[in-house]
Amino acid sequence: MPTTLLQSDLPGLELLHRGKVRDVYALPGNRLLIVASDRLSAFDVVLPDPIPGKGEMLTQISNFWFAKTGHLVPNHLLHTPLSEVLPAGTDLALYEKRAVVTRRLKPVPVEAIARGYLIGSGWKDYQATGAVCGIALPAGLKQAQQLPEPIFTPSTKAAVGDHDENVSFDAVVAAVGAELAEQVREATLAIYKWAAAYAAGRGIILADTKLEFGTDEDGKLYVMDEMLTPDSSRYWPADEYQVGISPPSYDKQFVRDYLETLDWNKTAPGPRVPAEVIGRTEAKYAEALRRLADIELG
Ligand SMILES: Nc1ncnc2c1ncn2[C@@H]1O[C@H](COP(=O)(O)OP(=O)(O)OP(=O)(O)O)[C@@H](O)[C@H]1O
Ligand SMILES: [Mg+2]
């Protein structure tokens, strides 16, 4: 059975950050302990009900892709056994599938997004301007259409509650310098292309994905945070894909659809979510893990 954890509690470790999903602790030796909880956020608001096992699934999917793409881009994982770093008396079973030990990196302040298909904010920007993040695209493309070539469409990391904003590559250069900007773009596209081809072989379209990067004391670049999870990526079942319509995806669509039926203004506090919607969302995450990585939790 998957475990359920809404909020981690690790006495003796320094809590650096409680994000929407992850709790981040400092470890000696410039390392982090990152725990993925079962918190569910929608429209950037954390909802009161957890999705049991979601953090385990997210961590297992990330670990799968970090291993698969390690030959392309170095990543933050250190592979230290959790039993060595958890405080004495911690329930190892509660943490072992949802926590990782990583290098503690300096975040590159950009959401590194690669898109192979025209959907979401990319589709919105294209309709308004014919371009995405300043990259001009051919005229006449339809919603969810595959792009001639995957593109790098960075956005700025918004403060809590705000929505991220698409920016041009030049804006990234201005923020972090040309060399790092180029490295991030190359790494993002390399990972996207590799993963999209892998997913295609399993009957799944990887429409787009968001990566985060960080640098170490020597300025070396690593991919960090989560990788190619249903939270950070749009996965579409290939057999249901059709140009011109927004395809069903493996992510929070059930929850979003449910929330759209409510009279809720999408600011905190979020509403309770019925057990049926929780159950269907849980099943979707499990299906993504099974179909992509052949991993069964439980
Ligand atoms: N190896 C790493 N070194 C430093 N920071 C990291 C590393 N891996 C992940 N992070 C940071 O840890 C946090 C993970 O928390 P989580 O994903 O829940 O945050 P979030 O809700 O997406 O965003 P926010 O940080 O704005 O709350 C992110 O801020 C991420 O940038
Ligand atoms: Mg995050």
Side-chain angles (χ1 to χ4, degrees):
M1 278 297 286
T3 62
T4 304
L5 183 72
L6 194 53
Q7 185 164 303
S8 65
D9 177 29
L10 297 171
L13 291 185
E14 182 196 353
L15 179 68
L16 295 174
H17 178 79
R18 240 191 248 291
K20 289 186 286 290
V21 173
R22 289 170 187 79
D23 296 339
V24 181
Y25 295 85
L27 292 177
N30 215 16
R31 298 174 302 165
L32 297 174
L33 176 68
I34 303 183
V35 183
S37 73
D38 296 328
R39 297 192 286 273
L40 176 70
S41 72
F43 306 107
D44 285 333
V45 174
V46 177
L47 302 176
D49 295 291
I51 304 286
K54 172 176 175 271
E56 295 186 348
M57 298 182 232
L58 292 178
T59 301
Q60 299 304 304
I61 292 185
S62 285
N63 288 353
F64 168 80
W65 286 114
F66 279 131
K68 287 274 179 210
T69 62
H71 66 291
L72 297 171
V73 181
N75 61 62
H76 72 163
L77 293 184
L78 283 171
H79 307 289
T80 310
L82 284 174
S83 54
E84 285 177 21
V85 300
L86 290 172
T90 306
D91 178 3
L92 184 61
L94 192 52
Y95 288 89
E96 64 186 350
K97 288 186 177 147
R98 61 173 76 247
V100 286
V101 178
T102 76
R103 290 170 202 277
R104 183 172 184 175
L105 301 166
K106 179 172 168 233
V108 178
V110 59
E111 306 271 9
I113 298 167
R115 297 171 193 273
Y117 292 75
L118 203 48
I119 195 74
S121 69
W123 168 238
K124 264 191 203 143
D125 290 359
Y126 174 77
Q127 283 176 290
T129 67
V132 183
C133 296
I135 301 168
L137 295 172
L141 294 177
K142 297 196 174 72
Q143 183 180 32
Q145 189 160 350
Q146 187 171 19
L147 297 168
E149 191 63 59
I151 55 174
F152 177 62
T153 61
S155 73
T156 55
K157 212 167 154 41
V160 175
D162 276 345
H163 295 285
D164 296 354
E165 190 190 334
N166 288 341
V167 295
S168 67
F169 183 67
D170 289 347
V172 180
V173 171
V176 304
E179 197 187 328
L180 193 56
E182 294 280 1
Q183 279 182 41
V184 167
R185 177 169 64 184
E186 291 315 305
T188 303
L189 289 172
I191 290 169
Y192 172 79
K193 286 176 192 171
W194 196 94
Y198 185 94
R202 310 195 62 117
I204 295 167
I205 293 172
L206 175 61
D208 53 38
T209 194
K210 182 198 79 179
L211 299 169
E212 290 186 37
F213 290 86
T215 51
D216 68 9
E217 319 75 60
D218 300 325
K220 183 177 169 183
L221 187 73
Y222 296 82
V223 58
M224 63 177 208
D225 199 53
E226 61 182 327
M227 185 184 253
L228 292 155
T229 70
D231 276 5
S232 65
S233 316
R234 280 195 182 84
Y235 285 112
W236 298 334
D239 55 4
E240 292 172 53
Y241 171 71
Q242 245 182 300
V243 173
I245 54 167
S246 183
S249 61
Y250 282 104
D251 66 358
K252 311 171 197 170
Q253 206 51 50
F254 285 123
V255 176
R256 291 213 190 95
D257 289 349
Y258 168 74
L259 294 174
E260 293 289 6
T261 69
L262 303 179
D263 185 17
W264 172 50
N265 64 2
K266 292 175 191 150
T267 57
R272 299 289 312 263
V273 178
E276 196 242 325
V277 178
I278 298 278
R280 291 176 76 181
T281 304
E282 186 182 342
K284 274 287 171 193
Y285 279 96
E287 185 184 336
L289 186 59
R290 190 168 55 241
R291 280 189 67 168
L292 280 167
D294 272 334
I295 297 172
E296 299 275 355
L297 280 183

